[in-house]
Amino acid sequence: MLTQEERKNLANLLFPELKYTAEELEEKYPPRNLPPGAKVTRLGPSPTGFIHLGNLYGAFVDERLAHQSDGVFFLRIEDTDDKRYVEGAVKIIIDSLRFFGINFDEGAGLDPVTGEDINTGDYGDYTQSKRGEIYAAFAKKLVEEGFAYPCFLTEDEISDIRAKQEAAKGNPGIYGEYAPYREVTCEEAKALIDHGKTYVIRLKSTGIPSGGEEAPEKFKVMDAIRGELEMPVNFQDTVILKTTGIPTYHFAHVVDDHLMRTTHVVRGEEWLPSLPIHVELFEKLGWEPPIYCHTAQLMKLGEDGNKRKLSKRHDPELSLDYYRRLGYHPAAVREYLLTILNSNFEEWRIENPDADIDQFMFTTEKMSNSGALFDLDKLNDVSKDVLLKIPAKDIIAFLKAWAQEFKPEVMGIFKDEEYLEKIIDLGRNDAKPRKDLIYAEQIVDFISYFFQDMYKPEEGFPQDVPSEDIPLILEKYLATYDHSDDQSQWFDKIRDIATELGYAAKPKDFKKEPDKYKGHVGHVSTVIRVALMGRSQSPDVHTIQQIMGEALTRSRISGAMS
Ligand code: GLU
């Protein structure tokens, strides 16, 4: 065992001149002055430029916890793995989340004028690569106190250790008897360094590895989503600073979340297995750990009917970009996320159909801990309901912003916004409103037949109507067409055409005596529908013609005759 003096010498050898001491840093970043119960949360993405649904899902939890409690939500860039840095990534993260209504109160950000990375808030720097001096200060403290040491093992030596452990059927890793540098002295370390040997800093774990029959020592920890967890204590001498001096995730997270006074760490369940390391690090540093909230993986139902993880390679819907490109309204995505985040949200929504979504009290206890099922069909259903509540004018503004960015070739539809408003509102104000609108790309396609330059017939005339009848139906339709007819006058005329050409005026008559007729009025009106808009399904034809106007109606019908 090294004496206190020896540990101090070792610490000074490894970290000779530091900008701060651990005590100074504690003072520099005092506890936050917030109302009781206020939660401090953070998002810690790596700047890979790829921001996905899982990030949004987690960010939503962070944002709700902080803002529901008058707390603080900040952005920290976790760039200790510099291979993954992508230029402009901070902007992508901030912009993508802002689009979905997630705003940070402090942290990494961008200068609105120069676009350069800047920080807002008193707990920065908020970019891990700029916090080297801070990590060093706490690593030094751990060495001084005998809770960390430099380890000079080479890759080959580590492989040999692994082989030995395998042969002995022991636990893999660097710990206890397999950690030869736990008691390295300052002199020994200096000699090795002078010989050009590189080293990492490892935690000197006090956990005891389980061996043979013996059950591993356990500890209990509360997870706000999963409840009380019982886990084996850590016994690994985990690396805290790499040979480059850059911290590992484990160490950086512990130091940062302590100094930034995070109260709740929301992160993916892939971090659950390393929780014992983090708990030991907090303990060795003499700090209270935050409350952990390990979120469930986002899953989807695979073709084989089994749940599987969403994957970057196979599932384009994992990328947030996917929703922006297709033009999902952020309110729909938020609403949908809450349905998968909190099991009681849908019930709340039924009871409070018109309430602002932010009035819903989000809780971690109501979160699923066994894989949240993400389902695009369900998102689409939610989106239909959400869009129904958004006034046409606002939908148009949203569509316009989307089209400008993603589909400038359709900007023509905004030339006459009054016309567009009628189209958007088509069937939306009925007693049983139509729910045709889902996302921008689909909406533009859905309404395209209202615009001559976008018109592309999608379906041909119905097969069950003899082809020689088609021009006859259309001719008669055009000849009797009066744009001022009301709904029933208009339909009476279609019935007349049907009867004249040998079709039943009512579908039920045709059903009763199919041999007597060629078909029924529905077949006739489908012919008209297809001639008008190139589709066999659509909202009410009379209303559509009223919106289209007489000229376009007539020209579509006559165009379909030739
Ligand atoms: N940088 C980590 C990641 O991207 C963040 C995990 C955390 O939130 O602690 O997975």
Side-chain angles (χ1 to χ4, degrees):
M1 278 270 275
L2 300 184
T3 63
Q4 197 179 350
E5 186 66 22
E6 285 170 321
R7 295 196 304 253
K8 211 169 179 130
N9 290 342
L10 181 60
N12 284 332
L13 169 78
L14 302 171
F15 303 100
E17 269 168 48
L18 290 185
K19 204 160 148 192
Y20 314 104
T21 64
E23 295 72 37
E24 283 164 356
L25 288 166
E26 288 286 352
E27 271 171 44
K28 188 164 185 252
Y29 304 109
R32 290 171 185 264
N33 189 9
L34 291 170
K39 299 181 169 102
V40 179
T41 59
R42 86 302 192 269
L43 190 71
S46 341
T48 58
F50 180 68
I51 168 125
H52 57 77
L53 200 62
N55 298 127
L56 178 64
Y57 177 85
F60 203 94
V61 179
D62 283 314
E63 190 272 346
R64 285 292 77 209
L65 293 182
H67 292 160
Q68 274 177 183
S69 65
D70 292 325
V72 174
F73 174 39
F74 66 89
L75 174 64
R76 179 170 72 223
I77 299 299
E78 305 209 333
D79 59 347
T80 52
D81 183 356
D82 47 24
K83 280 186 291 275
R84 297 165 72 199
Y85 188 85
V86 166
E87 212 46 54
V90 175
K91 184 168 164 48
I92 295 175
I93 294 165
I94 294 176
D95 287 351
S96 319
L97 293 173
R98 179 181 299 139
F99 180 79
F100 292 104
I102 308 246
N103 294 300
F104 297 100
D105 306 304
E106 71 177 45
L110 299 169
D111 187 301
V113 181
T114 62
E116 269 171 48
D117 288 6
I118 51 158
N119 284 291
T120 46
D122 298 332
Y123 290 83
D125 201 290
Y126 296 90
T127 301
Q128 286 184 333
S129 60
K130 297 192 182 143
R131 298 174 61 80
E133 290 278 354
I134 296 176
Y135 305 122
F138 290 101
K140 181 173 189 177
K141 176 177 143 89
L142 287 178
V143 174
E144 265 172 20
E145 293 177 357
F147 295 133
Y149 64 93
C151 170
F152 294 87
L153 285 173
T154 61
E155 285 297 320
D156 286 347
E157 286 165 335
I158 293 176
S159 301
D160 290 347
I161 291 174
R162 193 172 308 127
K164 256 193 231 152
Q165 289 166 333
E166 263 165 36
K169 296 204 163 53
N171 293 301
I174 303 302
Y175 59 89
E177 64 193 285
Y178 295 106
Y181 293 96
R182 277 171 73 100
E183 300 301 330
V184 72
T185 63
C186 177
E187 292 68 32
E188 287 162 345
K190 185 165 183 320
L192 289 164
I193 295 167
D194 289 346
H195 271 87
K197 290 266 255 173
T198 57
Y199 61 90
V200 296
I201 303 288
R202 287 184 188 271
L203 163 71
K204 196 194 276 182
S205 173
T206 48
I208 315 234
S210 65
E213 308 283 277
E214 237 174 279
E217 199 190 329
K218 299 259 177 86
F219 74 105
K220 288 187 175 151
V221 58
M222 263 315 260
D223 181 291
I225 297 174
R226 286 149 204 271
E228 189 176 72
L229 301 172
E230 201 180 36
M231 303 186 85
V233 295
N234 174 56
F235 60 84
Q236 296 280 345
D237 286 357
T238 307
V239 174
I240 61 172
L241 293 185
K242 301 180 221 175
T243 48
T244 49
I246 292 175
T248 54
Y249 166 77
H250 309 304
F251 191 52
H253 138 58
V254 168
V255 170
D256 291 350
D257 283 320
H258 170 69
L259 289 185
M260 295 178 181
R261 310 291 169 177
T262 307
T263 64
H264 289 66
V265 166
V266 178
R267 61 182 182 186
E269 69 182 359
E270 66 276 18
W271 295 110
L272 209 46
S274 38
L275 184 56
I277 301 171
H278 306 149
V279 170
E280 184 174 8
L281 280 169
F282 272 105
E283 183 195 299
K284 296 291 181 290
L285 285 158
W287 299 333
E288 187 68 30
I291 296 173
Y292 284 97
C293 314
H294 288 95
T295 58
Q297 279 281 352
L298 280 181
M299 313 285 273
K300 82 181 251 180
L301 221 43
E303 261 136 49
D304 55 0
N306 291 324
K307 275 190 187 182
R308 65 167 177 78
K309 271 198 243 169
L310 277 166
S311 95
K312 190 170 166 180
R313 203 142 51 96
H314 303 296
D315 306 308
E317 70 267 35
L318 184 61
S319 160
L320 282 192
D321 224 32
Y322 175 86
Y323 305 92
R324 292 203 51 186
R325 273 182 194 288
L326 287 178
Y328 277 93
H329 197 288
V333 177
R334 283 174 73 86
E335 183 93 8
Y336 175 62
L337 277 181
L338 263 184
T339 66
I340 48 175
L341 276 168
N342 257 191
S343 52
N344 54 331
F345 176 73
E346 280 181 278
E347 215 176 285
W348 175 87
R349 180 46 94 201
I350 293 168
E351 283 159 22
N352 304 276
D354 299 315
D356 186 297
I357 194 169
D358 287 347
Q359 285 172 13
F360 172 73
M361 203 55 188
F362 171 80
T363 54
T364 46
E365 291 77 18
K366 292 272 196 255
M367 284 180 74
S368 151
N369 57 19
S370 62
L373 197 58
F374 184 81
D375 175 0
L376 272 178
D377 292 335
K378 178 82 200 258
L379 166 65
N380 288 343
D381 283 343
V382 168
S383 189
K384 288 176 187 171
D385 286 324
V386 169
L387 291 192
L388 199 56
K389 289 186 203 144
I390 302 180
K393 275 198 181 10
D394 296 347
I395 293 189
I396 293 172
F398 168 72
L399 288 176
K400 203 170 182 177
W402 170 82
Q404 254 154 358
E405 191 171 353
F406 297 106
K407 218 167 186 173
E409 65 272 26
V410 303
M411 284 303 286
I413 66 172
F414 303 100
K415 255 191 243 142
D416 181 351
E417 289 198 7
E418 244 171 75
Y419 181 56
L420 185 54
E421 209 178 307
K422 285 189 208 143
I423 297 169
I424 295 292
D425 265 339
L426 179 53
R428 298 206 319 150
N429 301 317
D430 300 356
K432 215 172 156 265
R434 290 187 63 95
K435 296 179 186 173
D436 297 311
L437 313 181
I438 312 175
Y439 52 88
E441 170 106 28
Q442 171 270 339
I443 296 173
V444 168
D445 185 61
F446 183 73
I447 64 175
S448 58
Y449 57 83
F450 281 100
F451 303 90
Q452 193 53 26
D453 49 0
M454 279 174 34
Y455 178 55
K456 267 197 308 306
E458 282 174 4
E459 287 171 66
F461 291 109
Q463 297 290 334
D464 42 6
V465 174
S467 54
E468 62 275 17
D469 282 2
I470 307 240
L472 299 178
I473 295 173
L474 297 178
E475 261 163 44
K476 283 186 187 292
Y477 185 66
L478 206 52
T480 56
Y481 186 76
D482 181 343
H483 196 64
S484 60
D485 282 345
D486 65 17
Q487 176 92 25
S488 70
Q489 289 165 325
W490 166 78
F491 199 64
D492 284 346
K493 284 183 181 169
I494 298 187
R495 279 215 180 94
D496 292 344
I497 299 173
T499 333
E500 279 168 40
L501 294 174
Y503 293 76
K506 290 187 182 141
K508 68 171 197 282
D509 297 341
F510 173 64
K511 250 194 215 141
K512 250 191 261 156
E513 294 172 281
D515 296 337
K516 199 172 147 191
Y517 304 102
K518 291 196 214 159
H520 60 78
V521 67
H523 294 108
V524 174
S525 58
T526 301
V527 170
I528 295 164
R529 209 183 278 266
V530 171
L532 257 181
M533 55 200 116
R535 301 175 188 189
S536 59
Q537 307 279 331
S538 77
D540 177 61
V541 176
H542 181 260
T543 319
I544 289 175
Q545 294 176 151
Q546 290 304 308
I547 297 174
M548 277 184 166
E550 179 160 11
L552 186 55
T553 302
R554 286 187 179 277
S555 80
R556 282 278 167 83
I557 302 291
S558 48
M561 279 163 22
S562 49

